[in-house]
Amino acid sequence: MYGFINNCLKSLVVEKFGEETWIKLRDGAGVQDTFLTYEVYKDEITMQLVAEACKLLGAKPEVVLRQFGEYFFEFCKRSGYDHMLRTLGGNLFEFTENLDALHSYLALSYKEMNAPSFRVERNPDGTMLLHYYSDRRGLCHIVPGIIGAVAKDFFNSDITMEIVNQLEELERTGKKEHVVFLVTQWPAVAARSSAGSSKTGPFPWTQSLQPLASRHNAMIWIKEPLHHKRSSICLSMHKSHWEMIRGLVRLGKGKLLRGFEPVYPMTLNIDLKTFCHAFPFHIVFNEQLVVHQAGVNLQRIVPGLQTMSIHLDQYFSIVHPEVTFTISSIRKFINSHFVLQTRRDMMPEAWDDRPMLQLRGQMIWMPSLDCMLYQASPLLRSLQELEERDMHISDIAPHDVTRDLILLNQQRLAEIELSNQLERKKEELRLLSQHLEEERRKTENLLYAMLPKHVANQLKEGKTVEAGEFKECTILFSDVVTFTNICSMCEPIQIVLMLNSMYLRFDRLTTVHNVYKVETIGDAYMVVGGVPLPVSSHAERVANFALGMILAAREVINPVTGGPIQIRVGLHSGPVLAGVVGEKMPRYCLFGDTVNTASRMESHGLPDKIHLSPTVYQALKKKSFVFQKRGEIEVKGKGRMVTYFLERNFGVSEQQIMGLSDVEAATGQQDSQKSQPDLHRPAFQQQRRDDLCLIPMEYGDNVSEPPPSAHMSEPQTCTAIKPRDSESYGSLYTDDQSDDGALDQLKDTDEFGQAGVKYTEKHADGLDSEQHLINAAEGTNNGSKRTRTRFCVVL
């Protein structure tokens, strides 16, 4: 089928059910998205679309095809065929009778069109039998939709169509599917009035299929008294007296126009030679197909016709309609146009390399002579076809519109070719636009992964992003325990795989709790809540994120020991200044003492513990979190501070913290029990977990994208300081100018260890276990050597 049909089906689905339904239908059928109007596609594509539509919509094929038929009529009108369809006939019978002629005309543009064929018969009771022939089986239910829409739109009537027979006629040589419809027609107004009538009941009659003009001619003007109201019985009451006289009487003759009868001469006033020259491609043959007469140009092209008493089927075959070449078959389909084609074996040798000549015309039965007149013209679509058959315009009679048709269609074919090129270019542009949109989306996603969305949008627009102050936020730092020892004992690829497996899990948690990942340096991971989107639940979000980090770290294998890795986590809440730093690879950085304190909470923490500052504890103490008071410890650069450990959140489950459903969590636990310790296993397992659907955790406040300047104060001045040890992982110090970071850290570790033993309050075995963790922390810190990095700080 041509792409016009598939485009109509696509338009129907998109208009009635939406673009998403078409995408599902297209993907389910496995077909392309667009179709070129004049491109031929396999019938299987249309059949797959129809079958998938029935499956997707849960409807029977008859219903889908009927609705498609109704929409196809509207689609044709929108495509420029409205006037052409309206002029086919004055009533439904004439319209249906001329459908084959319409298809014949459209075949000039759609050369490979294999259209169905129609034949119509009148019944004495006013109904009609519509014969439908097609090479495609299963599409007959489109016909009631099309004919019903035509009757309602063009003739203001309703119809019912029911299948009364499905058979194969012996006369047919092609289009084996033959379906006979019984068509009953009645006026739409009468149908509506009968439905609402309570006295007389349903309207008892069906409208005769006579032409509307004939019914109008049969009306008789009835003069009514003046006191009668106007009624629908006589529509002529609206006319004036003189209009009525002019309509009924022919001026000067006195004969009624509405009773026209043709007048025939006593004898045919044309001689035989003139007739054969005036109609150079006609043929007269009898019931035995014996040729009695032929046009002069046809005799020149087919010399065998000059032989007396030859049979027409010896030199021609019937191309359309596909019936047997007998007089009974021809008379049965006499209302159809006939296309005859010359037989190559009966043509002169000069035609061996030429396409065969086709004639298209009308069969007219002459009862007085018991002969059939075939009045035809050459079936030529373009000047090229005329030249291929070594013919000229002069071979066609001057009165034959085939002359004009060839010239006009030559221009139309050029326009069609241009239209095809435009459609192809349009499709190429659509695909390029689609690919460009995909690449743009990838680029934006990558950019939004590096910078906040509103900041990235400002940078794309060439604007300067001013730094802004956030009054409240919560910052988290984490690092891997004994990371330096692990690096010294493993291959670089093992370190990369381990960090990637860990960071993939952490990144997943940022989506679950809607916190912002600031950056990673080595094994350090920095997250902030309440920036760049201010929320009141920033501390709660970061706390749940920290609990998820501890759970996720248990799934990452230490390549040295083969067991889970251990991390330290520190949290602190307070004000920060946030802004974009640099032009090459710009970064969204946080500045202020809050960053420094959060880093100190991490560096003074314990393995697999979440270390909280007093401000975080105050923000969370009324929530559903469980804490362990650590007591007062010495914090480098901060003095003595009372800190706490976050143990759990009894208000939510671990599955909710990890963003998993109960089924996903159970599957993950089973996989973990079955798996053996393997460095590569966590990465594969994480890939499977990433494919699962995330379930964002619900919080009391709503997070929305703020305007670029929302919740930000005027930019403040930043001054550069001496480089610090990278224990801060990008944090900015304001109180310590010493470069001997490693030594100070070791001292802090000793003090921190003593303070940790002194202020541990819970559990009887807490002293021994914490002393063990302190020793591990001392070993880690003594062996820790990291690259020093210069940063900027806000004073």
Side-chain angles (χ1 to χ4, degrees):
M1 294 187 185
Y2 275 91
F4 183 84
I5 305 296
N6 296 331
N7 280 334
C8 176
L9 183 57
K10 175 185 176 181
S11 179
L12 168 64
V13 175
V14 172
E15 183 174 323
K16 300 292 184 181
F17 306 101
E19 184 72 29
E20 295 181 356
T21 305
W22 164 251
I23 295 175
K24 294 179 181 179
L25 177 61
R26 175 200 65 191
D27 295 341
V31 300
Q32 64 266 41
D33 184 69
T34 58
F35 304 92
L36 301 180
T37 301
Y38 296 98
E39 191 79 19
V40 180
Y41 298 90
K42 295 181 179 180
D43 292 349
E44 288 77 9
I45 294 178
T46 307
M47 300 300 183
Q48 290 172 4
L49 287 173
V50 173
E52 190 64 25
C54 297
K55 178 181 177 182
L56 189 62
L57 302 176
K60 295 182 179 180
E62 299 84 21
V63 177
V64 174
L65 291 175
R66 186 183 182 94
Q67 186 173 7
F68 173 72
E70 295 174 357
Y71 187 83
F72 180 72
F73 171 68
E74 296 295 331
F75 189 77
C76 290
K77 292 202 303 179
R78 284 190 236 161
S79 302
Y81 296 101
D82 185 22
H83 295 293
M84 185 183 302
L85 293 171
R86 288 184 183 274
T87 56
L88 279 185
N91 55 55
L92 188 60
F93 181 88
E94 294 175 358
F95 179 92
T96 311
E97 195 176 38
N98 286 280
L99 279 178
D100 280 12
L102 174 63
H103 291 156
S104 177
Y105 167 75
L106 294 177
L108 299 176
S109 302
Y110 301 88
K111 295 183 179 180
E112 300 182 32
M113 182 174 67
N114 183 15
S117 179
F118 296 91
R119 181 169 64 88
V120 62
E121 298 176 355
R122 280 195 179 98
N123 293 330
D125 59 353
T127 61
M128 68 179 182
L129 294 177
L130 176 60
H131 297 259
Y132 164 82
Y133 305 91
S134 177
D135 288 330
R136 303 179 180 93
R137 297 185 181 274
L139 299 180
C140 63
H141 297 284
I142 295 178
V143 178
I146 297 177
I147 301 300
V150 169
K152 181 174 294 186
D153 192 338
F154 289 170
F155 309 114
N156 193 27
S157 60
D158 295 327
I159 65 169
T160 57
M161 295 182 63
E162 55 179 320
I163 298 176
V164 296
N165 205 349
Q166 286 183 293
L167 49 85
E168 291 187 5
E169 295 181 337
L170 298 177
E171 296 86 354
R172 301 292 299 194
T173 59
K175 301 189 184 301
K176 288 299 184 180
E177 184 176 53
H178 175 209
V179 181
V180 183
F181 295 93
L182 176 63
V183 183
T184 306
Q185 182 185 12
W186 61 88
V189 177
R192 287 194 293 269
S193 62
S194 63
S197 176
S198 60
K199 295 181 180 180
T200 58
F203 209 81
W205 55 277
T206 57
Q207 178 194 14
S208 174
L209 294 175
Q210 294 178 351
L212 296 179
S214 300
R215 295 199 302 270
H216 182 66
N217 292 341
M219 292 178 59
I220 301 176
W221 179 55
I222 303 175
K223 185 175 181 181
E224 296 182 351
L226 295 177
H227 64 275
H228 280 199
K229 296 182 179 180
R230 295 178 181 179
S231 66
S232 60
I233 299 177
C234 181
L235 299 177
S236 300
M237 291 294 293
H238 296 282
K239 297 184 179 181
S240 67
H241 173 73
W242 291 109
E243 289 176 343
M244 184 60 62
I245 294 298
R246 285 194 295 268
L248 292 177
V249 181
R250 182 184 303 173
L251 294 179
K253 297 295 183 180
K255 292 184 179 180
L256 292 177
L257 288 176
R258 293 186 175 86
F260 171 76
E261 293 182 1
V263 177
Y264 301 100
M266 298 298 295
T267 59
L268 183 62
N269 296 318
I270 183 173
D271 62 274
L272 188 58
K273 291 184 178 180
T274 303
F275 187 88
C276 291
H277 281 86
F279 304 100
F281 291 94
H282 81 279
I283 304 174
V284 177
F285 56 96
N286 62 11
E287 293 182 344
Q288 288 74 37
L289 304 182
V290 176
V291 177
H292 290 176
Q293 182 179 318
V296 292
N297 288 346
L298 190 57
Q299 295 179 32
R300 179 175 58 83
I301 297 174
V302 187
L305 294 178
Q306 295 180 323
T307 305
M308 300 301 295
S309 302
I310 65 139
H311 287 75
L312 185 62
D313 57 346
Q314 295 177 352
Y315 289 86
F316 291 89
S317 60
I318 299 179
V319 177
H320 179 84
E322 299 178 12
V323 297
T324 56
F325 210 143
T326 62
I327 198 70
S328 61
S329 300
I330 294 174
R331 293 188 64 177
K332 190 172 185 178
F333 293 88
I334 198 167
N335 289 327
S336 302
H337 74 278
F338 279 77
V339 177
L340 303 186
Q341 178 175 293
T342 56
R343 297 183 180 272
R344 185 173 296 277
D345 55 345
M346 303 301 292
M347 296 293 288
E349 295 180 358
W351 284 78
D352 291 346
D353 298 331
R354 303 176 191 171
M356 289 293 95
L357 175 67
Q358 288 187 343
L359 302 176
R360 180 181 59 187
Q362 177 186 7
M363 293 288 184
I364 304 174
W365 176 247
M366 299 180 289
S368 60
L369 302 176
D370 288 335
C371 290
M372 186 74 71
L373 169 64
Y374 179 52
Q375 176 57 38
S377 300
L379 180 56
L380 301 171
R381 300 178 179 87
S382 63
L383 295 175
Q384 180 182 356
E385 294 184 0
L386 189 71
E387 294 175 350
E388 289 175 350
R389 290 159 180 79
D390 195 24
M391 297 178 62
H392 304 84
I393 294 291
S394 60
D395 294 332
I396 304 173
H399 63 80
D400 196 340
V401 295
T402 305
R403 285 173 166 242
D404 300 329
L405 183 61
I406 293 174
L407 298 176
L408 291 174
N409 199 52
Q410 182 70 24
Q411 180 181 359
R412 176 171 173 78
L413 291 176
E415 293 174 354
I416 290 176
E417 180 61 27
L418 180 61
S419 176
N420 284 335
Q421 294 179 6
L422 291 176
E423 280 197 71
R424 294 189 185 96
K425 293 297 181 183
K426 179 182 177 181
E427 178 64 13
E428 292 176 3
L429 289 176
R430 190 191 67 82
L431 294 177
L432 289 176
S433 177
Q434 183 176 345
H435 294 160
L436 181 61
E437 181 65 22
E438 293 177 358
E439 295 301 324
R440 185 190 65 81
R441 188 162 51 250
K442 292 179 182 178
T443 303
E444 287 186 348
N445 291 339
L446 181 61
L447 182 60
Y448 295 154
M450 300 172 61
L451 295 170
K453 188 174 182 178
H454 72 277
V455 173
N457 291 334
Q458 290 186 69
L459 291 177
K460 286 196 303 181
E461 295 173 2
K463 298 180 181 179
T464 301
V465 181
E466 298 180 350
E469 181 181 0
F470 292 82
K471 300 298 182 181
E472 291 184 4
C473 71
T474 300
I475 298 176
L476 175 149
F477 278 95
S478 72
D479 74 341
V480 178
V481 178
T482 68
F483 181 71
T484 304
N485 295 337
I486 295 175
C487 292
S488 63
M489 301 177 64
C490 296
E491 295 293 330
I493 186 61
Q494 293 177 299
I495 304 301
V496 171
L497 292 175
M498 181 191 72
L499 292 179
N500 183 62
S501 176
M502 180 177 66
Y503 288 161
L504 284 176
R505 288 169 166 80
F506 293 172
D507 292 345
R508 188 174 186 271
L509 289 171
T510 61
T511 304
V512 175
H513 301 283
N514 201 0
V515 294
Y516 181 69
K517 173 185 175 182
V518 181
E519 62 181 345
T520 58
I521 300 178
D523 63 324
Y525 197 91
M526 181 180 179
V527 165
V528 62
V531 177
L533 304 178
V535 290
S536 59
S537 61
H538 55 86
E540 186 179 356
R541 292 173 183 270
V542 177
N544 285 326
F545 176 81
L547 292 172
M549 293 180 74
I550 299 297
L551 296 174
R554 297 172 185 172
E555 301 177 354
V556 183
I557 304 302
N558 187 329
V560 176
T561 64
I565 63 170
Q566 292 180 312
I567 62 172
R568 291 177 300 188
V569 183
L571 279 72
H572 179 63
S573 296
V576 295
L577 188 73
V580 178
V581 177
E583 294 181 353
K584 299 292 185 180
M585 298 181 62
R587 299 300 301 272
Y588 188 74
C589 298
L590 306 181
F591 307 98
D593 188 61
T594 302
V595 181
N596 175 44
T597 305
S599 176
R600 290 305 183 195
M601 290 296 101
E602 175 267 317
S603 61
H604 290 69
L606 297 178
D608 287 338
K609 291 287 186 178
I610 302 173
H611 197 197
L612 306 182
S613 69
T615 57
V616 180
Y617 172 76
Q618 292 297 326
L620 297 178
K621 66 179 182 179
K622 295 183 180 180
K623 305 292 183 180
S624 57
F625 292 94
V626 177
F627 306 90
Q628 176 187 355
K629 184 176 180 181
R630 184 176 186 183
E632 189 177 14
I633 64 172
E634 183 72 23
V635 179
K636 179 182 177 182
K638 299 298 176 183
R640 312 289 294 183
M641 294 180 64
V642 178
T643 60
Y644 303 83
F645 288 128
L646 175 63
E647 292 191 341
R648 67 181 182 276
N649 184 351
F650 63 82
V652 295
S653 64
E654 292 184 356
Q655 289 75 25
Q656 290 177 296
I657 292 177
M658 299 300 293
L660 301 175
S661 64
D662 294 337
V663 176
E664 294 171 352
T667 305
Q669 292 176 359
Q670 293 176 1
D671 292 344
S672 300
Q673 293 175 357
K674 295 180 181 179
S675 62
Q676 297 295 330
D678 186 1
L679 178 61
H680 299 280
R681 173 62 183 173
F684 295 150
Q685 182 178 342
Q686 179 64 30
Q687 182 63 37
R688 178 190 63 79
R689 295 277 293 278
D690 286 340
D691 293 338
L692 300 177
C693 180
L694 291 176
I695 304 177
M697 194 165 175
E698 297 292 337
Y699 291 91
D701 49 2
N702 295 325
V703 179
S704 59
E705 188 73 17
S709 60
H711 306 285
M712 295 185 180
S713 63
E714 292 297 326
Q716 302 178 8
T717 305
C718 301
T719 57
I721 63 170
K722 296 181 181 180
R724 298 296 305 171
D725 56 315
S726 60
E727 274 296 306
S728 62
Y729 305 113
S731 62
L732 308 172
Y733 290 84
T734 61
D735 58 348
D736 190 357
Q737 303 295 327
S738 174
D739 289 336
D740 193 8
L743 182 59
D744 290 344
Q745 183 183 10
L746 181 58
K747 294 178 181 179
D748 290 343
T749 303
D750 294 337
E751 297 173 0
F752 153 69
Q754 296 173 3
V757 175
K758 181 177 180 181
Y759 290 103
T760 301
E761 299 176 355
K762 295 184 63 178
H763 306 297
D765 58 345
L767 295 177
D768 294 337
S769 60
E770 187 166 352
Q771 184 63 43
H772 174 71
L773 296 176
I774 292 172
N775 294 336
E778 290 178 352
T780 301
N781 292 329
N782 287 331
S784 176
K785 296 181 180 179
R786 293 185 175 88
T787 306
R788 296 181 179 181
T789 310
R790 182 181 299 273
F791 290 93
C792 178
V793 66
V794 177
L795 299 178

